[in-house]
Every structure is written in structure tokens, then in C-alpha cells.
Amino acid sequence: MRRERLFFLLVTILFLFSVSVGKVRAQNLIRIEGSVIDSLTQERLSYASVSIKGTVLGTTTDEAGNFVLRVPEGSDSLMVTTLGYQPYVMKLNLGRTNRISISMLPTSYELKETIVKPGKEKYSRKDNPAVAFVKKIIDSRDRDNPRNKEYYSYEQYEDILIGLNDYSDAREGSWLYRQLGSLSDFVDTSSITGKPILPISHKEQVADVYYRKSPLREKRVVKGMKNAGIDEMLTEEGVKQFLDEVFKEVDVFQNDVPLFLQRFVSPLSSIGPLFYKYYLMDTLVVNGEECIDLGFVPFTSEGFGFTGHLYFTHDSVNFLKRIELNIPYEINLNFVDRMRIIQEYERSPEGLRLLTKDDIAVEFKLTSKSKGLFAHRIVSYRNHSFDLPQDATVFNESAPSIELADARRKPEDFWAQYKDGEGVPKQRSVESLMAQVRSVPFFYWTEKVLSTLISGYIQTSDEGGPFEFGPMNTTVSGNTVEGVRLRAGGATTTKFSPRLFLDGYMAYGTKDRRLKYDALAEYSFVDKKKFRKEFPVHSIRAEYSYDVNQLGQQYLYTNADNIFLALKRKENNLMTYLRKAELSYKREYYSGWSYAATLRHQNEMGTEYVSFKQIQADGSVLPVKDYSSAELELNLRWAPNEKFYQTRNYRYPITFDAPVIALNHVFARKGILGSDFSFNRTDLSINKRFWLSAFGYIDGVAKAGKVWDKAPFPMLIIPNANLSYTIQLESYALLNPMEFINDQYMSWDLTYYMNGLILNRIPLLKKLQWREVVTFKGFYADLSDKNNPAMGHEGLFLFPETTYSMGNEPYMELGFGINNIFKILRLDYILRLSYRDHADASNSGLRLRFEFSF
């Protein structure tokens, strides 16, 4: 009976609507067009309801906040309503065409009439009471910080939901959704727009956080944790680190606010008065206290800033009670369509600010027309304390986060106690949803294919077997020496053993007809969750390999035989064959320190393209087949607070905020274990990102190194040349392999991401949301007489004919680029600034790279 009543009601509504519309069409219609905006932030409001008061005639604003409506003559009033704003009613004075702009007042609180209504007013910082007020707040912003106390602890509950946005039953009419079955029972509601969403990932965590001021320590004890969803195909730790950075807890009392892997200028930044317009609104009541409403908008809406309100108590203390942040409509931020951040604070008896709620909701869109994703992260804080923890030994733990043994086995009543607060999301059955869709063959195989593309490996069972094949992007490749290169390999997983790992491959070249191989065994002294290279590494490793060695070509985050690097700007033939045996020990610490020691024996063999011609005592030259070296390599690295996404073989940096410093030394002695040369080489590198607040950021890498002894040229310093058409980090796009060979060097690599600093101010170009990139890299090196074969020293190898001597000027490349093209592409034009007269030199060129950034 319920379905019949619902059907009857729907028919009745449609009938009344058709009658009303029919009457309107019989009259002369007048066109009204306009836009709906936030009265303070000037942000466009999409999907607002616009109607003629007292009728069913109406429409909604589009994604840009615009609307078009045809109304009959004599229409009296226009009504606009949208979630989170006071209804707006205006009298109509109709002409034939009408253009209107409607400003809406927020209804988060019952606002009185505002003192200032920003629009196209002449804003001045001089003698502005709002600017004076905010400067006073900035000067005292560290006064109420609870971390001024010696100890600080609290309990934190975190809930993260990710779902398909604007989900409707109409989708279920498509072939794909018919296969999945009805999903309506799993639909939730967006807290920003009230749109229906279909949850696809849900994570919860409860932790106790302990802070100590001196010596500085902050530890997190995870008491409860659970997650489910489509992102299970990704690495858990990598996803957690990524989400922690994307949805980082906002602290407006700092100059910069890390969010979406970018840096936003805080409304309470020391440069805030230069970046924002401030407005003192009328006073209002927030949680029982009379507060001053400080509104703010950035001068340039395309820059990385916020719009919103800060609410301070209306007393001599001006204590911050609540924060409401949004992003400007025209901000040059990728994939983020809407965002809302709400924070609430309580005042401790000592007057310190205690964060009680941190609520961020975001709507992501790949394109303006796509439905996109909805993400909601809400964190509640309670049980604040400034006492010494009962168990102070928590500060002695090495890991910043300690997960209790039963954290993943908590019963439902444990989670229920954290879900009764205002705004805390209700329990969602993502587990049931994923079980339903994974029972569909199409989705099952789609997830398998995506998992393979992301990880590069093929699983041997649904649950993840003890062995996986891969990496698949190296299955087929090619080069001049090997011809077509075919490769097959794989590795064991933690299902085989959480501590013992086996890895290897076999490869064959159709031209050289040689079989190459690599076999690796590693024992970890700590259990691993998924990969052997998971942080922290504490292991001993043995490896034996025979393969080609591409001299002067190294790739940081991919394999040299990756099929996507097969297209080269010139012939790739400067290779040797290298047989290598290694035994290494490595240990990493949560403090950021790590060290490693490697014993290595290698035998390198020449080819027709790279031959070894050794100078004899009488000055003659004798071809030699190979040379051998037995080495001890020592590595020391410091990377505090390093954030990265971990895959099986690589760590992709998420941020470079903290410096990464590495010191390496290689030592060999002639005659020991068959070594043909004595050898010492030292290298030092420093990697750091420098944030320039509203002006973007600079990624910088500085290196220096020296070979202290006489050695054959493959053991000297060969700058890293990139022969592909892609942009590769810490390599030179226009340098040829072995164009220079030296025994001491210093190098730099600077990349300035300007984040649209210039293009955002050009009227037409700013709509493209392109961002400028400037690169400047180079090296200055020298070859001492002891390693210069031109000096005729016995035992040295003659350099290849393609090698040049470096003069008094450094090798330099300057690049001008545009990134954010179609939101995923970066295109650089590279100029070679020095040594342009070398034969076969590339003096300029275009290089590209797929870059996904917010």
C-alpha cells in the first residue's frame, strides 16, 4: 500500500505542477537572470533555489551560482533559499530583461545586521578598526597555546568518510549499477550541500595523545582502529600519511596552514593584513558567550587563502571560540569544488584554548561536470589534561604512534560511545557495501586490474597470496645493446613470511642473446605488514645480479627498463655488463636517522659501445675485458618528520618540508677480494622545500662529492643524464650520457612552483588555472690530473670519444614551464645555457610530466 500511496502523491504533485506551468505559458514571460553570492566572502552559491514567491515556478543556480528564470508579468516577489543561509525575498520591478545580484547572509547563527557589507567598496587598511583588531590578535596569538604547558594530553576520536557525491537512484538505471544491485540502503547525506552520497571508504580511530614540552616529545597511543572501502587496494600506511597531510589539522595561529599538500595563508598570519580584507561584523552569541564576528576575504581570490569568520569573545581577552573557513570560488586549487572547515574551542580554567571539534568537509571534482567525491573528516577531542601522564614511559617509545594489540578488535559498544556528539557521523556499513559490489564479476575484475596498475604486481589469490608477479611495467622494453628486452619476475609477500622476503627477475635481450637475472633474499628483524621496504627498515640483505649498466643514467622513482621510458631523444647505447654481489645491513629510526653498510663485489665488462682501453707503463694502450672492485659502502641519512607514500619498491615523497641530508662513503683497497683499484668516494646531499607563503614554494637539492683516488672512469663521477622526454627529478634533460666525467663536483637543482602568482592576475589566462614553474639546475666539476687519462697515468682507462673536458664555467639548464594543464600535465621548455657547441648537443627541448596536485 505504501508504494501505491507514494505513486498517487507523485502523480498529484506532477499534475498540479503541469497545471501551474500551463497557466504561466499562456502569459507574456519576462526573462530574469542573475547570480547568488555569499554576502561577505563573495563566493558563488551553486544549487540555490530561486522561485517566484507563492508559486511553484522556479529554478536552481548552476555550479557558478548563476540562474535564468522566465516569469509572468505582474510577478511580485522573488525568493531565494539555500542550505546554511537566511531566506532572501526581494520585490520585483520587472522590465523586459532583468539582471540582479543577490547576497545571502549565513544562518549558522542568528546574525544581526552587519556593520560592514563588503562588495566593491574602497577598502583601506589605514585607520581600519578591523585591521587594528586583527593585529592585536596576531601579536598575542601564542598566549593561549596549551603547548606552553610542560605536559598536555587529550583523547581524540577521528572519523573519515569518503563517498560518491550527488548520488541518485537514476544512476541505478545504467547497466553498471544494474549489475551492482540496489545501493540505496547505503546512501548518506553531504554535510555541505545536503546532497545524497554513497560511502565507499570509512575509517575510524581513537587515540590518546601525549605531549611533553621539554625535551620535546609527542606520542599517540592508538586504542581503536578500523577501516573498510575501495582504497583497500592501496597501502594502508601510505593512505594514512596522505590523508593526514591532505586533511591536516588547521592551526590558524600559524603563518601558513598546510592543507591539500599546499600552504594557505592563515587569517592570523603575520602577513595577514597584506593578504586579507578584514571586516568587524556585529556581535552575536556563540555557545552562550557574546562574541565578535571577524569576517575576512583575500584581496586576490585566486590565491591560496580562505574566506570565512573568526569568533572572539567580546571581552578584554578576545578568546577564540569558533572558526569557519571556506575557499574562494575562484581559487586556483585543483579538484576541490567546495570546502568547509569548522573548529570549536573551550577555555580552560587557566585561560588556555582547548580544541574540542575539528570538522572538515570537502567536495572533490575531477572536472566541472563530473559528480566527484565527498570527503568528511571530523575529529572530536575530550579529557584534556595538563598533568604528568600516569605512565610517563610513553615518552620513551621510539615510534610516534603506538598501536595497542587489540586496537583492531574493538567491539561495537566501544565505538558507540564516540558517536553521540553533535555532528559525529552515524555508523555506516561500508563493509556491507563492498561485500555486495565485490560479488559482481565486473567490479571484481575492475578492482583487480586497478590494483595491478597501482601496485605494478599481479596477486596470485584474492586475499593476497604468498607470491606476486611483477613489476609489470618492465615486462617489455628495449635498447640498442639488448634489442627487445623481455623480463619476468616477482616477490614474496608477508603471507609467505612477515620477516623473510625473496625477490628477483630474469630478463633476455633479443639482440645480445644474453640472459640477465637478479636474486635477492632479505631478513627483517621486525615484522612487516605488507612490504619488505616498509618503514622502519631493520634488515640484512643478500643480492646477486647480472645485467646491463646504463652509465650516466639513473632514475629515482622507477626502473631503468620501464616501458614508459623506452622512447628516447637519442640512441641509448652507452652500456656495460655488470655482475654484482652484495651483502648489506640497514636500520631506520623514527627520529629520522638511518644508517647502512654494504659489502659489494662487482665485475664490470665492456661492450662494443663502451670499451675499456687501459694505459700501460710504456704509454701504450691495451684493451681489457673487465675490471673488478671489492667495496665497503657506508650510508648515513637524516630525514626528520619525512612523509612519503610507500609502494613495494619505492617511497614517493609527500612533502619535503623537513630537510633530508645524506652522507655516503665508498671504500676499496687494491688486492683485497680481487679488487683491481684502491678507491674512496664521498658524497653529501641536502634536499629541502622552502615555502614562500602566498608566493608558492621552492624545492632545492644541493650535492657535492669527491673521488679521492685514481680509478677507472666507470667509478668516477658521471652526471645523471635523462634521455627520455619526461621530466625526471635530479637529472639533466639536455645532457648526454658521459658527456662529462670528473672526480669532484658540486651541483644544484632548484624548482620554483609559483602557484599562479603571475597567471592568476591575467584576465583571460587565469580562467585556465595554469601555474608557472621555473627550474634552474647545473653542476660545476673538475677532473684532477691523477684521473685524467690525457696525462698518461698507468692503469687508467681512456675516456669514451663522446666525453669532453669541463672548462671554468658550470653546466647549466634553465627551464620555464606551465603545470596544471588540464589539471594533470606539466610542460617545460628547457634551455641549455653552457657548452652549447658540443657535437650532438641538445640545446633546447620540451619535456612533459603527469603531475597530480591540488
Side-chain angles (χ1 to χ4, degrees):
M1 288 294 295
R2 180 178 295 177
R3 290 184 178 179
E4 285 78 8
R5 290 177 182 175
L6 192 60
F7 177 77
F8 175 79
L9 179 60
L10 179 61
V11 170
T12 303
I13 292 173
L14 290 175
F15 173 77
L16 292 175
F17 177 80
S18 63
V19 170
S20 176
V21 172
K23 291 181 179 179
V24 168
R25 287 176 177 170
Q27 306 176 33
N28 294 325
L29 300 180
I30 298 175
R31 176 187 173 96
I32 297 178
E33 59 182 68
S35 59
V36 180
I37 61 176
D38 185 293
S39 62
L40 172 67
T41 66
Q42 307 298 297
E43 178 186 8
R44 301 291 187 104
L45 301 179
S46 55
Y47 310 112
S49 174
V50 183
S51 63
I52 300 300
K53 187 176 180 181
T55 74
V56 295
L57 183 61
T59 185
T60 59
T61 57
D62 59 19
E63 294 181 349
N66 299 318
F67 69 90
V68 175
L69 183 63
R70 295 184 181 275
V71 303
E73 291 181 348
S75 296
D76 181 64
S77 299
L78 188 73
M79 172 176 282
V80 183
T81 58
T82 188
L83 184 66
Y85 291 84
Q86 293 183 9
Y88 182 95
V89 179
M90 67 173 294
K91 287 285 186 179
L92 291 176
N93 185 13
L94 298 176
R96 281 300 170 188
T97 303
N98 298 270
R99 174 71 191 177
I100 57 179
S101 179
I102 298 169
S103 297
M104 305 287 286
L105 285 175
T107 57
S108 298
Y109 297 99
E110 196 166 320
L111 295 173
K112 302 175 183 177
E113 184 179 356
T114 58
I115 295 174
V116 180
K117 291 185 178 180
K120 295 183 178 180
E121 87 286 2
K122 293 183 179 180
Y123 181 87
S124 175
R125 290 190 294 267
K126 185 177 181 181
D127 298 326
N128 187 329
V131 174
F133 178 80
V134 80
K135 285 183 176 179
K136 173 187 172 184
I137 298 296
I138 292 171
D139 291 341
S140 61
R141 60 185 179 179
D142 196 45
R143 176 193 59 196
D144 306 330
N145 190 350
R147 282 174 169 75
N148 290 332
K149 302 287 287 185
E150 185 63 29
Y151 295 99
Y152 178 41
S153 63
Y154 53 87
E155 185 182 45
Q156 180 188 71
Y157 167 70
E158 179 183 55
D159 186 299
I160 299 178
L161 172 75
I162 300 175
L164 299 178
N165 198 25
D166 200 11
Y167 181 84
S168 67
D169 292 339
R171 290 190 180 189
E172 299 187 0
S174 66
W175 174 85
L176 173 60
Y177 282 92
R178 288 201 306 270
Q179 300 298 311
L180 299 179
S182 178
L183 305 178
S184 300
D185 292 341
F186 304 104
V187 172
D188 208 327
T189 304
S190 164
S191 61
I192 298 183
T193 62
K195 299 176 187 176
I197 59 172
L198 181 67
I200 58 175
S201 175
H202 185 211
K203 306 178 187 300
E204 290 180 274
Q205 180 177 284
V206 177
D208 289 328
V209 180
Y210 299 94
Y211 168 84
R212 184 180 67 190
K213 184 177 181 180
S214 180
L216 182 62
R217 293 285 188 277
E218 185 164 328
K219 302 296 179 181
R220 180 183 303 270
V221 178
V222 179
K223 302 187 296 184
M225 175 186 291
K226 65 176 181 177
N227 60 75
I230 197 170
D231 54 354
E232 291 172 0
M233 68 180 70
L234 305 173
T235 63
E236 180 181 325
E237 290 299 319
V239 170
K240 183 180 184 305
Q241 290 214 35
F242 179 78
L243 290 177
D244 285 347
E245 289 299 314
V246 171
F247 298 124
K248 203 158 189 174
E249 181 182 294
V250 170
D251 184 359
V252 295
F253 292 90
Q254 300 296 319
N255 287 328
D256 295 323
V257 174
L259 199 63
F260 306 121
L261 305 181
Q262 298 285 354
R263 288 295 184 273
F264 289 71
V265 179
S266 168
L268 296 182
S269 167
S270 57
I271 68 166
L274 301 177
F275 188 85
Y276 286 100
K277 297 179 183 179
Y278 296 99
Y279 303 92
L280 283 175
M281 316 296 282
D282 201 357
T283 58
L284 50 102
V285 176
V286 178
N287 295 333
E289 290 192 71
E290 187 179 36
C291 289
I292 297 171
D293 180 359
L294 177 70
F296 52 89
V297 294
F299 280 96
T300 304
S301 60
E302 293 85 5
F304 284 91
F306 299 104
T307 65
H309 303 262
L310 302 178
Y311 300 96
F312 297 91
T313 56
H314 196 187
D315 53 26
S316 60
V317 177
N318 295 137
F319 180 84
L320 180 63
K321 289 288 291 183
R322 182 179 172 97
I323 296 171
E324 295 178 4
L325 301 177
N326 297 283
I327 54 173
Y329 175 74
E330 296 180 344
I331 190 173
N332 190 348
L333 184 67
N334 288 335
F335 313 123
V336 179
D337 188 53
R338 289 186 176 196
M339 184 208 71
R340 184 222 62 209
I341 297 175
I342 295 175
Q343 286 186 343
E344 292 183 353
Y345 292 86
E346 290 181 356
R347 186 166 12 187
S348 76
E350 299 170 288
L352 301 176
R353 60 176 180 270
L354 305 179
L355 181 61
T356 58
K357 184 173 77 170
D358 183 24
D359 186 344
I360 176 171
V362 187
E363 288 188 343
F364 295 101
K365 281 191 176 182
L366 187 62
T367 66
S368 60
K369 295 183 179 180
S370 65
K371 296 290 186 181
L373 294 173
F374 171 78
H376 188 192
R377 174 185 179 268
I378 185 166
V379 185
S380 59
Y381 308 80
R382 64 186 189 183
N383 299 332
H384 300 267
S385 174
F386 299 103
D387 298 328
L388 175 69
Q390 290 184 352
D391 184 8
T393 60
V394 66
F395 294 115
N396 299 329
E397 296 285 343
S398 59
S401 181
I402 303 99
E403 182 181 323
L404 298 184
D406 64 342
R408 298 172 187 264
R409 300 191 300 271
K410 293 295 185 182
E412 282 306 312
D413 57 353
F414 169 84
W415 297 103
Q417 63 181 309
Y418 298 99
K419 300 175 183 297
D420 54 358
E422 179 185 355
V424 177
K426 62 183 180 181
Q427 179 66 33
R428 294 146 178 132
S429 52
V430 175
E431 298 92 339
S432 301
L433 170 67
M434 298 310 300
Q436 177 172 318
V437 298
R438 282 171 177 155
S439 65
V440 178
F442 176 82
F443 184 89
Y444 172 84
W445 288 110
T446 299
E447 188 177 24
K448 290 295 182 185
V449 171
L450 288 176
S451 178
T452 299
L453 292 175
I454 292 170
S455 68
Y457 285 77
I458 297 177
Q459 295 182 352
T460 53
S461 73
D462 291 345
E463 295 78 20
F467 182 83
E468 295 180 353
F469 293 98
M472 302 310 296
N473 58 9
T474 62
T475 303
V476 179
S477 59
N479 56 69
T480 305
V481 174
E482 295 181 279
V484 177
R485 176 183 168 98
L486 305 174
R487 171 172 156 171
T492 62
T493 71
T494 51
K495 293 293 181 68
F496 174 79
S497 170
R499 293 200 172 192
L500 178 62
F501 297 89
L502 305 176
D503 199 337
Y505 67 82
M506 298 184 70
Y508 180 79
T510 59
K511 182 177 180 180
D512 66 353
R513 298 184 180 180
R514 293 195 186 190
L515 183 68
K516 295 90 178 175
Y517 50 83
D518 183 283
L520 177 150
E522 182 169 338
Y523 179 79
S524 172
F525 296 100
V526 294
D527 288 346
K528 297 295 183 178
K529 295 179 181 178
K530 197 166 185 179
F531 304 129
R532 67 180 177 89
K533 291 187 177 182
E534 286 174 359
F535 182 87
V537 171
H538 183 201
S539 66
I540 186 169
R541 174 181 61 87
E543 185 174 8
Y544 187 78
S545 65
Y546 171 70
D547 210 332
V548 294
N549 181 27
Q550 301 185 30
L551 294 170
Q553 299 176 69
Q554 301 174 24
Y555 300 97
L556 295 182
Y557 301 113
T558 188
N559 304 82
D561 54 352
N562 187 332
I563 189 173
F564 297 107
L565 300 179
L567 182 62
K568 306 289 186 181
R569 58 181 169 88
K570 63 171 298 179
E571 191 175 34
N572 181 27
N573 58 11
L574 297 178
M575 299 184 186
T576 60
Y577 291 101
L578 184 65
R579 191 181 305 277
K580 182 169 61 177
E582 287 187 345
L583 179 64
S584 66
Y585 171 80
K586 183 176 183 179
R587 184 160 192 182
E588 296 177 324
Y589 294 89
Y590 288 101
S591 62
W593 287 102
S594 65
Y595 60 85
T598 302
L599 289 172
R600 178 185 304 114
H601 186 278
Q602 59 186 28
N603 177 250
E604 190 158 17
M605 294 151 276
T607 65
E608 61 178 301
Y609 304 100
V610 180
S611 58
F612 299 152
K613 301 174 183 178
Q614 190 175 45
I615 301 173
Q616 304 300 301
D618 59 1
S620 62
V621 177
L622 179 67
V624 295
K625 178 183 178 182
D626 58 7
Y627 76 93
S628 296
S629 175
E631 305 169 352
L632 169 63
E633 180 175 352
L634 302 175
N635 308 100
L636 183 63
R637 188 173 185 268
W638 186 54
N641 300 315
E642 185 178 26
K643 301 293 190 301
F644 50 80
Y645 178 77
Q646 175 78 63
T647 66
R648 180 183 295 279
N649 295 314
Y650 298 100
R651 293 177 178 176
Y652 297 94
I654 296 175
T655 65
F656 292 102
D657 295 350
V660 178
I661 303 174
L663 178 64
N664 303 325
H665 184 79
V666 182
F667 167 85
R669 273 293 171 260
K670 184 176 181 179
I672 297 179
L673 299 177
S675 185
D676 293 326
F677 298 90
S678 292
F679 180 73
N680 280 276
R681 173 174 173 170
T682 305
D683 289 273
L684 174 67
S685 68
I686 303 175
N687 193 329
K688 179 74 172 72
R689 173 169 292 175
F690 301 91
W691 288 96
L692 306 178
S693 194
F695 308 105
Y697 60 91
I698 297 174
D699 283 344
V701 182
K703 293 184 176 181
K706 182 178 178 65
V707 175
W708 304 89
D709 305 285
K710 184 174 71 174
F713 71 79
M715 301 178 70
L716 297 182
I717 296 166
I718 304 175
N720 192 13
N722 175 22
L723 293 185
S724 76
Y725 289 99
T726 63
I727 299 170
Q728 295 291 330
L729 301 178
E730 298 183 34
S731 66
Y732 301 98
L734 302 176
L735 186 70
N736 292 330
M738 294 201 295
E739 186 172 346
F740 297 102
I741 300 177
N742 301 282
D743 59 7
Q744 52 189 342
Y745 79 103
M746 57 178 295
S747 68
W748 67 92
D749 188 336
L750 301 174
T751 304
Y752 179 21
Y753 293 88
M754 300 175 68
N755 280 349
L757 182 64
I758 298 173
L759 297 179
N760 281 346
R761 288 163 171 78
I762 301 176
L764 294 179
L765 288 179
K766 72 178 184 179
K767 295 183 178 298
L768 298 173
Q769 294 192 322
W770 289 351
R771 303 171 186 170
E772 317 86 340
V773 182
V774 179
T775 60
F776 180 48
K777 61 180 65 176
F779 62 89
Y780 183 76
D782 186 34
L783 181 67
S784 61
D785 288 345
K786 66 177 177 293
N787 279 314
N788 189 347
M791 306 300 292
H793 293 305
E794 180 185 0
L796 293 181
F797 293 173
L798 295 182
F799 285 177
E801 296 180 357
T802 57
T803 300
Y804 291 84
S805 298
M806 177 161 267
N808 293 324
E809 64 176 334
Y811 175 86
M812 296 176 290
E813 292 179 358
L814 181 64
F816 300 94
I818 301 293
N819 71 340
N820 211 39
I821 302 173
F822 305 120
K823 298 186 178 182
I824 60 171
L825 187 66
R826 171 179 162 189
L827 185 64
D828 284 11
Y829 180 69
I830 311 295
L831 287 171
R832 179 168 168 153
L833 301 182
S834 55
Y835 302 100
R836 296 170 59 89
D837 57 343
H838 286 184
D840 201 27
S842 300
N843 290 327
S844 64
L846 291 172
R847 300 293 182 267
L848 59 85
R849 181 181 181 181
F850 289 100
E851 284 190 348
F852 293 85
S853 62
F854 286 102

